[in-house]
């Protein structure tokens, strides 16, 4: 049907389309960027964007999965909600991986999907999918709009739910007739969520218990997760740790919440964490967890995780407390608010110099390590070189697998909000589109996308977006012509039977980049690395570098599956 | 252990699906659910009988319920003074020779005959779960054709005295 915005009826009431209400609500929510892909059921919405002269930037990715990972990257580095728009049916189902990823890693997203017209819902209409049914278990909340006039309220609630409490994805499914048809203008966006009242302020009594335990502790450690970053509390964590000289361990997603080169930093804990971090957790008598959820890749065998420690758990999501690890002092709060309150309390500094001396010695004796080989590039060394050449200040996005772990181990983050990786869901294909969102969100920062040759090929089509927007992303393929982590597990646990993990043919990545109009370089030898990095970082535009590494390289040290955090193998001899 | 969880929810589309989906995703075992409108407009009341392994699982279950955006209130009322009832419809083979005998069973249970045909009788009985169970057991020898049970619904008593375990006597706590 023909639609014109803001037609006036005879009685003077304003009529608009549902799509107009949607666009106005997004403007009201201060949306700056929308990552989307058009299609039949969202045509009225795309038309309204056009008629409103694009009040926000629309980024046309080349696959809906690319759109949503880009929105995740944007959310991760800016702290603002990422907004995604996709059509019904396949548009919506292509988002499923990204929605689940955002749910697992607590990223604020508002996702708008088109739906077939209300009159044909339930009839298996063209491009119909039960998006509500599909996304109920993987969203923080989801809506199907039944009346266009609800749109201002629903959009307002969606942003509120996505960004408060424990952030997460919220989906709004809009039938085509709702966005297309005329309705009365309505601006009432009053939130009505009696069941949603996240606890933000910590309970003072509980904090006092924490302080009491801390004062008495002999072997305390702080475990900082992504909750600290989501609450924007990294500076307070640093103050708190420095004031009481407390050693800090990060989770994978918590990296950057504490300066990577700080002397109190023990490194990442867990499966591929540092020996020192894991032994500190094992031997601690007090573990203060701030904003981490005790993921199994961190804990290893639960019985061996901090067996002698009293556990304090600060988390904004009460359901995370006590879910995996028994907890003496539960504190439901925003990490920043809790740290603020702790910094205002009188605390007798714990006497832990013996513990610190031991940990510092362990850091020196048991660092991450690797073998240098003059012929081929050692991937660990390569990441160190990237760190050095970018002063530890680049935004790093990754896929999932060996390169991700090497990046986590060897790129020591000096700044918060620069680490963009898929932790909970472990989504291959995440790194490249996430870099697009990160670069658009922080245009002045250096963005490096470290990807494997496997994951890169899952979302390779997004090179088009990088090229057309001239986003100066540095794409570093750590190319071992294999699914390295799968291969490593097959070597370690499946008798070296490399079942479907070695690529027999990869595309010519250089020509591929060339096809997209992106500069590309092939690097085989370590001696060429420093010059290439310098050249790449100096170049104001996208570059793809194909770094060839030995397929036999492994990520070490390791807590094997089912083993305790104190049973690491592959520690520096 | 069995627990009775009472839940006040926003009466929006899909809310039952959200909650049963959460139970299924997290492998919580539900024995019964009843849902109905509550005294307040826009709010519905759900009563679940769940079977959980231990206190930790129970805590996780109530927290996950709380976490649902549509859930306004969650209470574990198992150990409170409550009135818990369910309704069952039992269709039993009842030729003319045994009708009087069956009537004799119905009376002490205060059941009501709600349908009679040549070969069958359908009896409505309400009460605590164990009463309904006992009633069904007694009817079994006559040949039960069909049973429909509502599951337990429950309310707190007006006055909370000491724990009134009689209502949950069949539950191991």
């Amino acid at each position: 049907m023909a639609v014109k915005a803001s037609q006036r009826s005879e009685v003077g009431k304003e009529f608009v389309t549902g799509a107009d209400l949607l666009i106005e609500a997004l403007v009201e929510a201060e949306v700056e960027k929308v990552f989307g892909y058009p299609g039949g059921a969202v045509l009225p919405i795309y038309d309204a964007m056009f008629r409103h002269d694009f009040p926000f930037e629309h980024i046309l990715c080349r696959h809906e999965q690319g759109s949503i990972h880009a929105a995740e990257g944007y959310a991760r580095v800016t702290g603002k909600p990422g907004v995604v728009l996709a059509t019904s049916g396949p548009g919506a189902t292509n988002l499923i991986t990204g929605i689940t990823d955002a749910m697992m890693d607590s990223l604020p997203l508002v996702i708008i999907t088109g739906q077939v017209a209300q009159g044909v819902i339930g009839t298996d209409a063209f491009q119909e999918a039960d998006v509500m049914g599909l996304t109920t278990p993987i969203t923080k909340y989801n809506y199907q709009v039944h009346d266009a006039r609800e749109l201002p309220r629903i959009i307002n609630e969606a942003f509120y739910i996505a960004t408060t409490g424990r952030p997460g994805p919220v989906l709004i499914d809009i039938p085509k007739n709702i966005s297309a048809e005329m309705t009365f203008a309505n601006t009432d966006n009053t939130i009505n969520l009696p069941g949603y009242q996240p606890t933000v302020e910590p309970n003072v009594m509980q904090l006092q218990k924490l302080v009491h335990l801390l004062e008495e502790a002999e072997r305390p450690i702080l475990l900082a997760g992504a909750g600290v970053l989501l609450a924007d509390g990294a500076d307070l964590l640093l103050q708190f740790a420095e004031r009481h000289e407390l050693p800090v361990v990060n989770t994978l997603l918590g990296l950057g919440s504490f300066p990577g080169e700080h002397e109190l930093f023990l490194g990442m804990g867990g499966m591929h964490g540092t020996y020192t971090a894991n032994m500190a957790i094992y031997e601690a008598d007090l573990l203060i967890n701030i904003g981490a959820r005790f993921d199994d890749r961190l804990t290893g065998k639960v019985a061996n995780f901090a067996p002698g420690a009293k556990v304090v758990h600060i988390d904004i999501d009460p359901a995370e407390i006590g879910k995996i690890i028994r907890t003496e002092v539960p504190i439901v709060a925003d990490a920043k608010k809790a740290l603020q309150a702790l910094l205002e309390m009188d605390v007798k500094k714990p006497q832990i110099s013996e513990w610190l001396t031991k940990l510092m010695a362990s850091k020196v004796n048991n660092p991450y390590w690797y073998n240098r080989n003059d012929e081929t590039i050692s991937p660990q060394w390569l990441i160190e070189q990237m760190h050095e050449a970018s002063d530890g200040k680049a935004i790093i996005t990754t896929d999932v697998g060996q390169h991700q772990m090497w990046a986590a181990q060897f790129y020591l983050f000096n700044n918060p909000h620069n680490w963009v990786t898929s932790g909970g869901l472990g989504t291959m294909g995440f790194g490249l589109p996430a870099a697009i969102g990160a670069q658009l969100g922080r245009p002045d920062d250096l963005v490096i996308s470290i990807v494997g040759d496997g994951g890169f090929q899952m979302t390779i089509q997004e090179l088009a977006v990088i090229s057309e927007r001239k986003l100066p992303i540095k794409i570093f393929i750590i190319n071992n012509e294999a699914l390295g982590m799968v291969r490593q597990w097959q070597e370690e646990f499946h008798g070296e039977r490399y079942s479907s993990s070695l690529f027999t043919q990869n595309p010519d990545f250089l020509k591929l980049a060339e096809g997209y109009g992106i500069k590309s370089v092939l690097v085989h030898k370590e001696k060429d690395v420093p010059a290439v990095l310098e050249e790449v970082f100096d170049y104001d535009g996208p570059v793809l570098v194909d770094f060839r590494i030995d397929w036999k390289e492994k990520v070490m040290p390791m807590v094997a599956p089912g083993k305790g955090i104190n049973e690491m193998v592959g520690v520096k001899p | 252990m069995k627990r009775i969880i009472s839940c006040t929810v926003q009466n929006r589309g899909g809310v039952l699906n959200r909650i049963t989906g959460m139970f299924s995703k997290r492998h919580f075992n539900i024995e019964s659910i009843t849902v109905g409108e509550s005294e307040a407009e826009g709010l519905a009341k759900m009563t679940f009988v769940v079977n959980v392994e231990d206190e930790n699982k129970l805590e996780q279950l109530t927290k996950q319920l709380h976490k649902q955006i549509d859930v306004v209130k969650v209470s574990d009322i198992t150990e409170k003074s409550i009135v818990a009832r369910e309704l069952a419809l039992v269709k039993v083979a009842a030729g003319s020779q045994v009708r009087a005998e069956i009537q004799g069973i119905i009376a002490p249970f205060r059941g009501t005959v709600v349908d009679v045909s040549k070969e069958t009788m359908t009896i409505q009985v309400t009460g605590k779960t164990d009463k309904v169970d006992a009633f069904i057991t007694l009817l079994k020898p006559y040949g039960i054709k069909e049973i429909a049970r509502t599951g337990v619904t429950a309310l707190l008593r007006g006055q909370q005295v000491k724990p009134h375990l009689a209502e949950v006597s069949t539950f191991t706590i």
Side-chain angles (χ1 to χ4, degrees):
Chain A
M1 64 181 287
V3 283
K4 273 187 202 159
S6 308
Q7 284 179 335
R8 293 206 169 261
S9 76
E10 286 166 29
V11 288
K13 269 197 176 168
E14 204 178 354
F15 284 91
V16 294
T17 68
D20 291 314
L21 287 179
L22 170 68
I23 303 300
E24 282 157 21
L26 292 176
V27 171
E28 177 76 21
E30 298 177 358
V31 171
E32 291 166 0
K33 301 197 191 306
V34 171
F35 299 87
Y37 206 103
V42 286
L43 278 170
I45 298 172
Y46 274 84
D47 190 54
M49 280 197 294
F50 192 92
R51 285 185 284 102
H52 286 254
D53 201 17
F54 288 93
F56 35 74
E57 189 183 356
H58 178 268
I59 296 97
L60 176 66
C61 291
R62 296 307 193 263
H63 186 290
E64 287 87 355
Q65 187 184 357
S67 308
I68 192 161
H69 290 328
E72 290 184 84
Y74 175 84
R76 181 65 86 196
V77 303
T78 63
K80 296 178 200 166
V83 181
V84 181
L85 174 58
T87 194
S88 65
T93 54
N94 278 346
L95 296 176
I96 297 292
T97 301
I99 300 173
T100 316
D101 191 88
M103 185 71 171
M104 293 283 270
D105 287 352
S106 311
L107 284 168
L109 295 186
V110 172
I111 301 137
I112 296 155
T113 51
Q115 181 55 278
V116 298
Q118 282 172 302
V120 294
I121 287 182
T123 65
D124 303 316
F126 176 64
Q127 292 196 330
E128 181 183 0
D130 176 12
V131 173
M132 292 299 285
L134 285 165
T135 61
T136 294
I138 55 169
T139 50
K140 187 169 172 189
Y141 199 58
N142 60 3
Y143 293 88
Q144 190 169 67
V145 182
H146 298 293
D147 181 328
R149 282 166 296 176
E150 297 176 330
L151 270 164
R153 172 185 61 82
I154 287 177
I155 297 291
N156 196 21
E157 287 182 359
F159 278 92
Y160 178 66
I161 293 170
T163 56
T164 52
R166 178 177 181 177
V170 179
L171 181 139
I172 304 151
D173 196 35
I174 309 180
K176 186 174 185 180
N177 63 303
I178 295 230
S179 53
E181 285 168 10
M182 288 291 182
T183 181
F184 293 117
N186 174 27
T187 52
D188 183 9
N189 65 1
T190 313
I191 287 174
N192 175 26
L193 296 167
Y196 180 66
Q197 284 145 355
T199 306
V200 174
E201 297 291 341
N203 179 314
V204 179
M205 300 278 283
Q206 295 297 93
L207 286 179
Q208 276 161 353
K209 284 188 198 163
L210 185 167
V211 168
H212 179 72
L213 289 176
L214 180 58
E215 287 173 339
E216 303 293 313
E218 289 173 7
R219 297 180 307 282
I221 60 161
L222 293 177
L223 172 68
V228 174
L229 294 164
L230 292 164
D232 211 5
D235 50 341
L236 298 183
L237 174 67
L238 180 61
Q239 275 186 49
F240 183 68
E242 283 186 337
R243 184 183 296 177
H244 305 298
E245 280 192 275
L246 300 173
V248 178
V249 171
N250 267 156
T251 64
L252 173 68
L253 286 179
L255 290 172
S257 64
F258 198 77
E261 292 171 277
H262 197 286
E263 65 164 346
L264 287 170
F265 186 56
L266 306 183
M268 176 172 74
M271 185 170 271
H272 292 297
T274 65
Y275 175 82
T276 306
N278 284 343
M279 289 311 288
I281 292 172
Y282 185 69
E283 290 174 15
D285 68 349
L286 174 65
L287 176 76
I288 302 173
N289 172 352
I290 311 178
R293 64 178 174 87
F294 293 124
D295 175 80
D296 60 84
R297 286 301 193 261
L298 170 75
T299 60
K301 189 163 95 190
V302 169
N304 289 30
F305 187 83
K310 293 207 161 62
V311 174
V312 178
H313 190 169
I314 302 173
D315 204 302
I316 196 147
D317 180 359
E320 289 302 346
I321 300 175
K323 186 178 84 175
I324 309 287
I325 302 289
R326 78 274 167 285
T327 300
E328 272 75 16
V329 184
I331 301 175
V332 180
D334 171 85
K336 185 176 187 174
K337 298 276 182 193
L339 283 162
Q340 245 160 9
L342 280 171
L343 284 163
E344 283 161 18
M345 294 172 82
D346 283 328
V347 183
K348 190 167 77 237
K349 193 173 163 181
Q351 298 305 306
I352 58 168
S353 54
E354 209 175 304
W355 173 236
L356 282 176
T357 310
K358 181 180 171 177
L359 293 176
M360 294 308 131
S362 174
K363 263 177 83 168
V364 174
N365 296 330
N366 307 292
Y368 287 131
W369 67 287
Y370 53 89
N371 289 318
R372 284 288 290 283
N373 178 335
D374 291 341
E375 282 302 301
T376 56
I377 300 172
S378 303
Q380 305 89 341
W381 173 87
L382 175 62
I383 307 281
E384 281 182 336
Q385 293 299 302
M386 292 179 196
H387 177 268
E388 208 176 300
S390 60
D391 208 14
K393 288 177 179 163
I395 294 174
I396 305 286
T397 78
T398 75
D399 261 26
V400 169
Q402 288 184 316
H403 71 279
Q404 177 193 34
M405 290 298 115
W406 288 321
Q409 289 178 332
F410 291 93
Y411 197 96
L412 301 173
F413 290 89
N414 288 324
N415 296 339
H417 311 298
N418 281 4
W419 173 232
V420 185
T421 199
S422 167
L425 194 64
T427 307
M428 286 174 69
F430 175 84
L432 188 73
I436 294 172
Q439 187 74 79
L440 286 165
R442 303 235 309 257
D444 298 329
D445 287 274
L446 170 64
V447 176
I448 303 175
S449 187
I450 302 176
V451 293
D453 51 314
F456 178 56
Q457 292 184 67
M458 287 193 174
T459 48
I460 204 164
Q461 73 284 345
E462 304 307 333
L463 284 174
V465 182
I466 293 174
S467 175
E468 84 185 345
R469 289 173 181 265
K470 301 189 170 49
L471 299 174
I473 296 166
K474 314 309 173 198
I475 305 154
F476 293 161
I477 306 176
I478 311 297
N479 187 350
N480 55 5
E481 296 183 310
L483 299 171
M485 191 60 97
V486 173
R487 190 211 61 76
Q488 177 173 338
W489 279 51
Q490 288 170 336
E491 179 184 328
E492 300 278 326
F493 312 117
H494 297 275
E496 298 183 45
R497 291 180 295 279
Y498 299 131
S499 182
S500 303
S501 59
L502 304 177
F503 288 136
T504 49
Q505 197 190 338
N506 261 341
D508 182 332
F509 290 118
L510 304 186
K511 279 194 181 146
L512 218 137
E514 198 183 304
Y516 281 101
I518 292 172
K519 190 178 150 139
S520 56
V521 193
L522 176 68
V523 187
H524 276 289
K525 296 205 157 36
E526 283 200 348
K527 65 178 173 48
D528 300 328
V529 168
V532 167
L533 286 180
E534 198 185 325
E535 192 194 330
V536 165
F537 289 152
D538 281 346
Y539 177 70
D540 184 24
V543 188
L544 179 149
V545 187
D546 184 355
F547 288 108
R548 296 299 172 90
I549 66 159
D550 186 347
W551 64 276
K552 286 190 170 141
E553 286 285 352
K554 286 193 284 190
V555 180
M556 285 292 161
M558 181 178 194
V559 178
K563 295 286 185 186
I565 202 168
N566 58 322
E567 299 172 288
M568 289 199 99
V569 294
V571 182
K572 187 175 197 250
Chain B
M1 55 186 188
K2 284 189 195 175
R3 308 296 290 188
I4 303 179
I5 312 284
S6 171
C7 211
T8 308
V9 303
Q10 279 217 287
N11 201 354
R12 290 183 173 175
V15 61
L16 182 62
N17 182 35
R18 281 176 205 287
I19 288 172
T20 52
M22 183 278 287
F23 279 129
S24 134
K25 169 180 162 183
R26 298 193 182 270
H27 279 203
F28 293 126
N29 189 8
I30 323 175
E31 304 232 323
S32 76
I33 302 181
T34 62
V35 190
E37 286 179 9
S38 75
E39 71 288 353
E41 200 187 331
L43 295 181
K45 180 148 252 167
M46 294 187 177
T47 310
F48 310 101
V49 175
V50 296
N51 201 341
V52 289
E53 276 163 46
D54 53 31
E55 290 290 339
N56 272 346
K57 281 270 181 198
L58 176 65
E59 185 184 315
Q60 204 24 231
L61 185 146
T62 52
K63 281 175 165 179
Q64 291 294 346
L65 277 172
H66 259 299
K67 193 166 153 176
Q68 296 289 323
I69 307 281
D70 285 329
V71 172
V72 179
K73 194 178 170 205
V74 181
S75 338
D76 178 355
I77 57 173
T78 319
E79 286 167 48
K80 297 275 173 58
S81 283
I82 56 172
V83 215
R85 294 289 182 270
E86 74 167 311
L87 181 146
L89 295 172
V90 186
K91 189 189 282 176
V92 64
S96 50
Q97 319 88 306
V98 291
R99 282 208 182 159
E101 210 177 310
I102 291 175
Q103 286 288 359
I105 296 171
I106 297 171
F109 283 89
R110 293 188 204 143
T112 321
V113 178
V114 289
D115 180 61
V116 183
S117 72
K118 211 166 150 193
E119 302 297 331
T120 67
M121 283 166 84
T122 302
I123 304 134
Q124 168 190 310
V125 65
T126 55
K128 290 179 276 178
T129 298
D130 52 354
K131 173 182 159 186
V132 174
D133 288 343
F135 180 68
I136 291 168
T137 311
L138 286 174
L139 285 184
K140 256 187 192 149
Y142 300 96
I144 289 174
K145 300 281 186 194
E146 271 184 281
I147 296 178
R149 295 175 74 153
T150 60
V152 174
T153 191
L155 277 182
L156 290 179
R157 287 183 184 273
Q159 201 173 0
Q160 288 294 304
V161 273
K162 56 189 179 203
H164 196 280
L165 294 177
E167 293 294 337
V168 288
S169 52
T170 59
F171 293 4
T172 51
I173 296 165

